[in-house]
Amino acid sequence: NVYLKKTINHIFNNLEPRFKKISHKIKDGETFDRILESYSVNQSEISEIKKKLSKKINLNRLNTSQKIQLTIDQSNNLVQQFIFQISTTEKIYLTKNLETDEFRQRILLTKLKKDIIYKENIILNSLYKSAVNKKIPVNTIIEFARIYGFEVDFQRDIRKRDSFQLMYEVFVDDNGKVI
């Protein structure tokens, strides 16, 4: 009885799920075909996915910031779902129709909410360090310095104990992540 229990536990612990979810961030120099081939997607499915996507995007110019998500049925190595991130707010979503064996396409748009952030701080060392301590994004600090760079000499005009106030916009998705 103990051996049967150990055998059953071993079998269940080593089983792989039927549907495997894969998330892939595109790296420099990768091609669309090679990415899908590395996950054992057959050539006919690759060409069908490319045909659906090519209406909306140029697959010869992939960006390293884009992400691909796919769900593969491991029993027959066929793609069931495919999500291609076009931008931070737009994704192409392909699902396989099991009856016709073709992909249906939907465009998913992420709605962003604009938040206005107000921060202020006293400068003890430098404007940059004081702004970073208040968790102001680096690109916002750089833009702030660029805008006021002609009016304020940030090397000579800023003194210890000076203060600053900064108001800027951020766009947030439904999960609260800043886009």
Side-chain angles (χ1 to χ4, degrees):
N1 201 5
V2 172
Y3 293 114
L4 176 64
K5 196 180 233 182
K6 283 184 178 181
T7 305
I8 290 172
N9 284 338
H10 177 73
I11 291 170
F12 280 117
N13 290 337
N14 292 322
L15 281 178
E16 287 191 27
R18 179 177 173 191
F19 296 104
K20 184 177 182 181
K21 291 188 177 221
I22 299 167
S23 182
H24 182 91
K25 186 174 181 184
I26 297 173
K27 297 178 197 84
D28 197 29
E30 285 185 317
T31 64
F32 189 78
D33 288 31
R34 275 199 222 134
I35 292 168
L36 294 182
E37 286 169 358
S38 70
Y39 296 113
S40 303
V41 177
N42 65 41
Q43 197 59 44
S44 63
E45 280 207 313
I46 293 174
S47 59
E48 191 175 334
I49 291 171
K50 282 174 71 174
K51 186 174 74 177
K52 287 283 190 185
L53 294 177
S54 64
K55 297 173 186 170
K56 185 78 176 156
I57 56 168
N58 182 1
L59 293 173
N60 294 326
R61 293 185 163 204
L62 298 176
N63 295 330
T64 54
S65 61
Q66 290 175 311
K67 292 180 185 171
I68 295 174
Q69 295 174 323
L70 58 146
T71 304
I72 297 177
D73 184 346
Q74 295 191 105
S75 66
N76 54 15
N77 257 9
L78 296 176
V79 176
Q80 298 301 310
Q81 291 181 336
F82 186 89
I83 301 171
F84 187 85
Q85 180 180 344
I86 298 172
S87 67
T88 54
T89 59
E90 190 175 10
K91 295 177 184 177
I92 296 177
Y93 182 65
L94 302 176
T95 52
K96 182 166 272 189
N97 185 341
L98 298 175
E99 296 165 5
T100 62
D101 214 31
E102 291 183 0
F103 286 102
R104 283 180 274 168
Q105 179 178 336
R106 287 189 331 208
I107 306 292
L108 301 176
L109 295 172
T110 304
K111 290 187 177 181
L112 300 179
K113 184 179 98 180
K114 180 171 71 170
D115 284 343
I116 296 176
I117 309 288
Y118 174 78
K119 303 273 181 153
E120 64 179 299
N121 202 2
I122 296 172
I123 300 170
L124 297 176
N125 293 324
S126 69
L127 172 68
Y128 181 81
K129 187 167 173 71
S130 298
V132 168
N133 289 344
K134 280 294 187 177
K135 295 186 170 80
I136 298 172
V138 174
N139 60 342
T140 305
I141 301 167
I142 293 169
E143 186 65 16
F144 173 73
R146 187 191 67 75
I147 290 170
Y148 289 102
F150 296 107
E151 296 175 30
V152 178
D153 183 348
F154 288 105
Q155 297 295 320
R156 294 186 204 121
D157 292 345
I158 305 268
R159 304 273 187 259
K160 196 173 188 176
R161 312 292 297 154
D162 282 349
S163 64
F164 68 91
Q165 298 172 343
L166 187 62
M167 194 180 242
Y168 59 97
E169 297 176 343
V170 293
F171 292 93
V172 181
D173 66 5
D174 295 336
N175 300 328
K177 182 182 173 191
V178 175
I179 302 297

